[in-house]
Amino acid sequence: MTSIEVHSLHKVFQTKRKAAGLGASTRALFKPEYSEVEAVRKLSFQMESGELLGFIGPNGAGKSTTIKILTGILHPTDGDAKVLGYVPWKERQKLAFHIGTVFGQRPQLWYHLPAIDTFTLFGKIYELDDREIKKRIDFLTEAFEIRDLLETPVRKLSLGQRMRCEVAASLLHRPKLILLDEPSIGLDVVAKQHIRDAIRRMNQEEGVGVLLTSHDAGDLEALCKRVIIINHGQIVYEDKVSNLKRKHLTSKLVEVRYAQEVPANFHLNGVEILKVGRYGVKLRFDTNQTPVDKVMAHLSSVGDLVDITISDPPLEEVIAKIYREAAK
Amino acid sequence: MQKYLAIIKMQVINNIAYPGDFLGRSISIGIFLFIFAGLWGTTFRIAGTDSINGLTFANMMWYLMMAETIELGRPRTNRIISEQVKNGEVAYILNKPYNFLLYHFSFGLGDSLLRVGMNIVVGLLVAWLLAGPPPSLLGWGMALVTLVGAWILHFCMMALIGLAAFLVEETNSFELIYQKFVFVLGGMLLPLDMFPEWLQGVARALPFPYMMYTPARLFVKPDVELFWQMLGIQWLWVAALVFLLAIAYRGSEKVLTVNGG
């Protein structure tokens, strides 16, 4: 079953333009000039229920705008969209009962009160009865490991702790779909891991669909099965994350350490030498052009190997490459 | 309905999260009353009279106590909406299953309940000290009944100004203009009885007196006939402004652009 269907979605914003200085400001008062920004351009995609879909793109790519249209907060300029069978901007309140949202850069928990108060309030807003609210809070506090944080005023929580509470709050009413807009922004590695684990668990146990926007490739790698990469409001890439890796993660980084000194004229055809040290070499090659066994055979012929590390380049580089290719 | 009660309750709790700040704010009505007592005491002394246009010094002080209670306790909905539009938090408010305006109504009510309550307590003590015993129970009754309509009128005006934030983001200047209308034509600084006839006529044709003058005047000089008359006009204004607000909301919803999109 499809949970999101988007067809030719288009959103144009009008922004005021004004040159620097007093003169320009005065002129702008009487004759304001506007320029149009196409935040989303003829976007079409689908998302299945229970899917983990990554929506990746650089700043200003149109990710948040799309999410805001899909939750019914923004009206599109043109195009159609259905989320769980509802047209978001026409049936926003009905849709609200079935979706959860987290905007990573903005708090929805009441800042001066403990998270438990907001949880209870949300329970009432989503029309759950008291017993159900309590049961749900118990479950979520366990899943997100936030039992000890519930009674601390939100303003005293660390960002990571707060975000766990924020995501948990968005799941209180058992939504079928959650839209997470940059949930890991500003978090440290451990906090990111915590959030990702909890989201994955909710997806597996409750079948919640997750549409996640991020510019952190780590979120994508850890969570999503499929990815849509957008830039300038358009889809530039759409595929399974595993295919993305297979097709684009073809270059390998190799670091080798030898028992003897490395010859100064170390060289190998089809391999880019990044660094030659006294006892070690760092190189990069493309597996499509240079077979792995050829490289390995050469490396072991040079001397006695003490240590070897082979790694993929960070996914971020791959995505950056896709942006660059799309720009061309 | 339950959800709106929950929002009111939440905002009451929110207000007492910082008891020091809450108590500090409650004291301001006492300070204002001290200043007014000095001003009006001098005015009555210089005029060499016990009553000006039918109002004694004690009437003035209790009038101002009620007017200040309303002014200091009225909702600040426009500031909240502006803030939410500017920082993008409005996205969370809009995608919950409740009516946006009723959410703000409940939020504002939760905010006002405690403030009005505390202002009445502190105002009562200070005004009693400065001007002798408070008005009759009938006065209290009429003031409290008309306070409801006055609060709703304030809410409608603040929410209308707040919705302008969907277009212009910053609405402080509109609030200042509005406040000045309430100060003068609403009878906040001076009871309308002190105005020349023509200005009283102008004021009465506008909604402002029913936000401020009505409860304060009935409080110090309860009058059954005047009560029903003012209550009727007050609720006509409530109906008109609620209608206007509903239309304005429908229109503004579409132009909203959430910051940081």
Side-chain angles (χ1 to χ4, degrees):
Chain A
M1 235 181 81
T2 340
S3 65
I4 300 182
E5 276 176 86
V6 173
H7 185 68
S8 287
L9 202 66
H10 206 74
K11 177 73 186 174
V12 181
F13 287 111
Q14 271 203 336
T15 38
K16 241 183 193 170
R17 269 181 31 198
K18 185 189 80 63
L22 182 64
S25 292
T26 320
R27 268 196 305 281
L29 272 181
F30 296 102
K31 204 179 160 204
E33 278 181 36
Y34 293 94
S35 62
E36 291 198 335
V37 180
E38 289 181 304
V40 176
R41 291 196 278 180
K42 302 279 173 206
L43 198 69
S44 301
F45 70 93
Q46 283 200 342
M47 177 180 165
E48 298 303 313
S49 358
E51 199 184 343
L52 284 162
L53 176 63
F55 210 59
I56 305 280
N59 289 334
K63 308 184 294 283
S64 297
T65 306
T66 309
I67 286 225
K68 279 164 194 155
I69 294 174
L70 294 180
T71 52
I73 300 164
L74 288 178
H75 288 237
T77 313
D78 198 12
D80 305 310
K82 274 200 168 176
V83 177
L84 303 170
Y86 299 100
V87 177
W89 53 96
K90 287 185 183 154
E91 299 163 290
R92 192 179 67 220
Q93 296 214 16
K94 282 185 203 156
L95 175 64
F97 279 106
H98 307 289
I99 58 165
T101 37
V102 174
F103 299 103
Q105 302 175 62
R106 303 187 176 109
Q108 66 176 328
L109 299 168
W110 290 43
Y111 190 63
H112 301 296
L113 300 179
I116 183 87
D117 281 332
T118 308
F119 283 23
T120 314
L121 175 71
F122 282 7
K124 297 273 183 203
I125 287 170
Y126 287 107
E127 299 172 15
L128 307 178
D129 64 46
D130 291 345
R131 229 188 50 219
E132 174 73 15
I133 296 176
K134 200 181 162 302
K135 231 172 82 184
R136 193 66 183 154
I137 293 178
D138 282 344
F139 171 74
L140 290 170
T141 45
E142 189 255 327
F144 283 81
E145 298 174 36
I146 49 176
R147 190 163 299 282
D148 300 337
L149 312 176
L150 274 187
E151 286 170 8
T152 311
V154 171
R155 66 171 192 279
K156 295 203 170 146
L157 298 178
S158 72
L159 183 62
Q161 292 171 330
R162 205 196 82 206
M163 278 316 293
R164 267 187 283 159
C165 294
E166 294 275 357
V167 179
S170 73
L171 287 161
L172 201 88
H173 54 298
R174 296 179 186 278
K176 294 180 191 134
L177 170 69
I178 50 172
L179 301 118
L180 305 171
D181 192 7
E182 308 274 3
S184 61
I185 200 158
L187 300 187
D188 64 45
V189 189
V190 181
K192 275 183 190 170
Q193 200 53 49
H194 256 117
I195 296 255
R196 288 169 186 161
D197 289 347
I199 294 172
R200 199 181 306 112
R201 182 176 163 186
M202 296 305 293
N203 172 263
Q204 281 162 0
E205 287 183 17
E206 303 204 326
V208 188
V210 181
L211 175 65
L212 172 119
T213 82
S214 179
H215 51 243
D216 182 342
D219 284 339
L220 179 72
E221 234 175 336
L223 277 175
C224 302
K225 296 274 188 293
R226 193 161 68 96
V227 59
I228 290 176
I229 301 179
I230 71 167
N231 203 359
H232 304 298
Q234 283 176 312
I235 295 181
V236 292
Y237 186 89
E238 184 178 0
D239 206 345
K240 285 183 181 165
V241 175
S242 53
N243 286 348
L244 172 74
K245 285 186 182 170
R246 194 167 48 77
K247 287 185 203 157
H248 294 270
L249 283 183
T250 49
S251 89
K252 298 281 173 200
L253 276 173
V254 183
E255 277 184 79
V256 198
R257 222 150 52 81
Y258 289 102
Q260 307 86 14
E261 285 193 17
V262 182
N265 59 352
F266 185 91
H267 172 77
L268 180 58
N269 281 340
V271 170
E272 183 189 357
I273 312 288
L274 299 173
K275 192 179 160 191
V276 180
R278 202 163 160 199
Y279 292 97
V281 185
K282 197 173 171 185
L283 46 90
R284 178 164 54 198
F285 67 98
D286 191 328
T287 50
N288 288 340
Q289 286 161 12
T290 318
V292 179
D293 53 358
K294 185 184 157 200
V295 177
M296 298 314 287
H298 181 79
L299 287 175
S300 54
S301 71
V302 172
D304 300 330
L305 288 168
V306 177
D307 192 11
I308 183 161
T309 316
I310 305 175
S311 54
D312 291 328
L315 194 54
E316 274 169 25
E317 262 178 40
V318 176
I319 292 172
K321 201 174 111 199
I322 294 174
Y323 293 156
R324 282 196 298 273
E325 282 167 9
K328 280 177 207 161
Chain B
M1 194 56 207
Q2 262 210 344
K3 57 181 87 174
Y4 299 109
L5 286 176
I7 295 165
I8 296 175
K9 192 173 137 199
M10 186 81 163
Q11 190 51 11
V12 170
I13 302 174
N14 201 22
N15 259 306
I16 42 181
Y18 297 98
D21 175 59
F22 175 63
L23 285 174
R25 270 189 290 159
S26 312
I27 293 171
S28 48
I29 187 167
I31 298 171
F32 288 143
L33 287 178
F34 266 109
I35 297 169
F36 282 129
L39 269 168
W40 283 102
T42 312
T43 311
F44 275 90
R45 217 175 25 253
I46 292 172
T49 172
D50 285 341
S51 117
I52 302 174
N53 288 13
L55 294 171
T56 63
F57 173 73
N59 287 156
M60 272 313 295
M61 289 315 294
W62 285 107
Y63 178 96
L64 290 167
M65 174 253 163
M66 187 51 71
E68 285 296 336
T69 295
I70 297 169
E71 171 56 24
L72 297 172
R74 73 178 166 82
R76 302 286 192 266
T77 311
N78 68 312
R79 292 190 205 167
I80 293 157
I81 298 179
S82 290
E83 205 45 50
Q84 286 172 343
V85 169
K86 276 190 280 182
N87 66 20
E89 213 183 300
V90 69
Y92 279 126
I93 309 296
L94 285 170
N95 71 20
K96 294 270 179 324
Y98 44 52
N99 177 292
F100 179 81
L101 291 173
L102 284 179
Y103 166 85
H104 278 292
F105 185 88
S106 314
F107 189 97
L109 190 55
D111 223 7
S112 287
L113 276 178
L114 263 177
R115 278 196 281 141
V116 167
M118 276 308 279
N119 284 337
I120 287 183
V121 172
V122 177
L124 177 76
L125 291 174
V126 177
W128 202 327
L129 191 79
L130 296 168
S136 66
L137 276 181
L138 186 64
W140 281 99
M142 287 183 179
L144 290 180
V145 170
T146 48
L147 204 57
V148 176
W151 190 89
I152 299 175
L153 287 178
H154 274 293
F155 167 75
C156 290
M157 291 300 285
M158 298 313 340
L160 275 169
I161 294 174
L163 287 183
F166 282 24
L167 282 170
V168 295
E169 296 194 6
E170 185 58 80
T171 61
N172 274 350
S173 54
F174 300 122
E175 188 191 356
L176 279 176
I177 297 169
Y178 158 78
Q179 215 178 19
K180 299 304 168 280
F181 272 106
V182 176
F183 273 20
V184 179
L185 297 175
M188 153 102 214
L189 284 177
L190 278 178
L192 295 194
D193 314 68
M194 305 267 178
F195 290 175
E197 286 285 329
W198 68 268
L199 192 55
Q200 282 193 40
V202 171
R204 281 179 213 280
L206 297 167
F208 305 111
Y210 306 95
M211 300 171 164
M212 191 67 85
Y213 174 73
T214 297
R217 170 65 165 62
L218 289 167
F219 180 50
V220 293
K221 292 210 158 210
D223 176 325
V224 177
E225 198 185 325
L226 194 65
F227 170 73
W228 289 114
Q229 189 199 341
M230 284 179 148
L231 189 68
I233 303 176
Q234 186 185 51
W235 280 87
L236 281 178
W237 275 115
V238 168
L241 287 187
V242 166
F243 180 69
L244 197 64
L245 185 57
I247 293 177
Y249 178 60
R250 291 211 146 189
S252 53
E253 220 184 349
K254 278 190 185 164
V255 297
L256 171 75
T257 49
V258 179
N259 280 6

